[in-house]
Amino acid sequence: MIFKKKLVITKTPLRISFFGGGTDMPYFYEKNIGMTISTSINKFVYVTMKTHENFSEKFRLNYSETEIVNNINNIKNLRIRETLKYFNINQPLYINTISDLPYNTGLGSSSAFLVGLIKGLFEMQEKKVSKIKAAEIAFKIENKITNNALGKQDHYIASFGGFKKITYKKKITTVTSIDIKKENLKKLKKNLLFFWTGEKRLSNSNLIEQKNSFLKNYTNLLKLNSFTSIFNKEIKNKNINIYKIGELMNKSWDLKKTFSPGISNNFLNEIYDIALASGCIGGKLLGAGGGGFFLFICPNNKRKKVIKNLKGCVNIDFTFEKLGSTLLVSI
């Protein structure tokens, strides 16, 4: 690979997933059709790539740690290492990443980082990459790292952005924009609460457990698929029913907790119970479980009470984001 650009910066959105997580796993969609509905949000992962001529350090990598190495094989960060190997990078390079919200919290940050890195590396060569190709390369790299226990949802929503229905089949993944009335989108956003629990988690163990328990979880995965279809129809109605969506999300969360013992715990269950007792209709922990962020459906007139009672959590303000991974700087 020959770099033609000296500096590239990408901006890639994080996401919240409403329904269907788990059906985007290869072990499911190779036998059935999976479907997720999620949206990108206005919280981002920024990746900076810069060539240099400092011969004492071929690769300088800044993320939650700093690495200075001269051999790709010595890079500790698996996603950076495998991506540089995939693209056969030999030129000296600085890579820096920063996120608006904490990593390992169920918002698809590692996938967003990979999509942004891949988009940037193509730009460094002055080459274009389609949204599908960027998502597929990111999935291929990360799925290898996680031993085929990862879903595709995060890579695709990071690459495409917007409010999307993503359908997964054995040989093709289809991304469809959902035509939601502005009034319904505004109503949905107005009745959502987004809380940081303060707990980080590593998703890999939960994902591997779910993969190993696939046959046991199969029936419930089919039920999750049906919930996604119901939600897809509901948000297209003339007037969406927040209570119906909340109850559906509550059922989905109950199912998800059966997939692996590590998905929830007493601390997280207490947060959920307080939220519902304070007025929320339903909710879910985002991502693979164990910590991170809760998303709740909450009537607007109950918001203040819920926020007050969940004093150990941080309420995060956000908006829906229309764009996927984009270039900020290319020189």
Side-chain angles (χ1 to χ4, degrees):
M1 174 182 287
I2 299 176
F3 293 145
K4 297 180 180 179
K5 298 286 188 176
K6 292 184 178 181
L7 174 66
V8 168
I9 302 175
T10 62
K11 172 186 174 185
T12 306
L14 300 175
R15 65 96 183 102
I16 55 175
S17 174
F18 290 101
F19 289 93
T23 69
D24 59 330
M25 303 289 185
Y27 54 78
F28 182 84
Y29 66 70
E30 286 176 359
K31 296 179 175 62
N32 302 273
I33 297 175
M35 181 169 65
T36 60
I37 295 179
S38 52
T39 182
S40 50
I41 60 175
N42 66 332
K43 307 296 179 184
F44 304 93
V45 174
Y46 301 87
V47 182
T48 300
M49 288 144 276
K50 182 182 181 297
T51 59
H52 68 89
E53 296 180 356
N54 185 343
F55 299 106
S56 65
E57 49 181 63
K58 189 168 186 177
F59 302 109
R60 176 184 282 269
L61 316 171
N62 295 313
Y63 47 104
S64 56
E65 299 180 23
T66 296
E67 293 189 56
I68 300 173
V69 298
N70 290 311
N71 188 317
I72 286 180
N73 292 319
N74 293 333
I75 294 174
K76 292 188 296 182
N77 186 298
L78 296 178
R79 285 161 182 82
I80 295 177
R81 186 180 73 201
E82 293 305 315
T83 302
L84 295 185
K85 289 172 72 173
Y86 179 90
F87 284 95
N88 193 26
I89 303 296
N90 291 311
Q91 289 179 253
L93 187 66
Y94 290 156
I95 297 175
N96 179 75
T97 181
I98 189 168
S99 176
D100 286 335
L101 293 175
Y103 284 103
N104 298 322
T105 53
L107 303 179
S109 58
S110 65
S111 303
F113 165 70
L114 266 180
V115 169
L117 179 61
I118 289 163
K119 187 177 183 66
L121 288 173
F122 271 98
E123 180 64 19
M124 292 286 283
Q125 304 171 78
E126 291 187 339
K127 291 182 178 180
K128 300 296 182 182
V129 60
S130 69
K131 293 179 180 181
I132 289 178
K133 187 173 182 179
E136 282 294 330
I137 293 174
F139 171 72
K140 181 178 181 179
I141 292 170
E142 197 161 24
N143 199 40
K144 176 184 175 183
I145 294 170
T146 59
N147 194 27
N148 301 315
L150 189 72
K152 283 189 173 184
Q153 174 184 192
D154 294 353
H155 311 87
Y156 269 83
I157 198 66
S159 188
F160 280 81
F163 209 111
K164 296 291 194 292
K165 178 184 78 172
I166 309 175
T167 306
Y168 312 89
K169 299 180 182 179
K170 187 173 183 178
K171 294 184 178 180
I172 189 170
T173 301
T174 306
V175 181
T176 307
S177 295
I178 300 177
D179 186 19
I180 310 173
K181 291 183 178 181
K182 289 183 178 179
E183 294 80 7
N184 279 346
L185 201 59
K186 185 177 180 180
K187 183 177 181 181
L188 179 62
K189 172 61 183 68
K190 188 177 180 180
N191 291 275
L192 288 177
L193 276 175
F194 186 41
F195 284 102
W196 162 233
T197 64
E199 293 287 323
K200 285 191 175 185
R201 87 289 180 275
L202 292 175
S203 62
N204 200 39
S205 60
N206 283 338
L207 292 173
I208 291 173
E209 171 70 23
Q210 290 177 56
K211 177 185 175 184
N212 292 338
S213 304
F214 168 62
L215 293 177
K216 184 180 72 173
N217 295 331
Y218 181 73
T219 301
N220 284 343
L221 282 167
L222 291 176
K223 287 181 181 178
L224 284 184
N225 240 0
S226 68
F227 291 166
T228 310
S229 296
I230 294 170
F231 178 66
N232 186 43
K233 292 178 182 178
E234 180 60 37
I235 57 178
K236 293 177 182 177
N237 285 341
K238 186 175 181 180
N239 293 300
I240 61 171
N241 187 325
I242 293 299
Y243 288 88
K244 186 174 181 179
I245 292 173
E247 290 167 2
L248 198 64
M249 194 173 285
N250 189 44
K251 290 179 181 179
S252 178
W253 173 236
D254 283 341
L255 279 181
K256 185 174 180 178
K257 286 188 292 184
T258 68
F259 289 169
S260 167
I263 285 179
S264 193
N265 53 47
N266 291 336
F267 170 71
L268 297 173
N269 290 338
E270 183 178 3
I271 291 174
Y272 195 86
D273 291 343
I274 291 173
L276 264 61
S278 302
C280 290
I281 308 161
K284 60 175 291 187
L285 194 68
L286 296 169
F293 286 85
F294 265 114
L295 181 71
F296 291 109
I297 299 288
C298 178
N300 193 48
N301 63 348
K302 302 289 186 180
R303 291 176 68 89
K304 289 183 178 179
K305 182 179 179 181
V306 175
I307 293 170
K308 179 182 178 181
N309 290 346
L310 288 179
K311 55 187 176 182
C313 298
V314 180
N315 177 39
I316 306 293
D317 188 32
F318 74 98
T319 59
F320 298 138
E321 169 66 27
K322 294 182 179 180
L323 299 178
S325 187
T326 58
L327 285 166
L328 289 184
V329 176
S330 177
I331 55 178

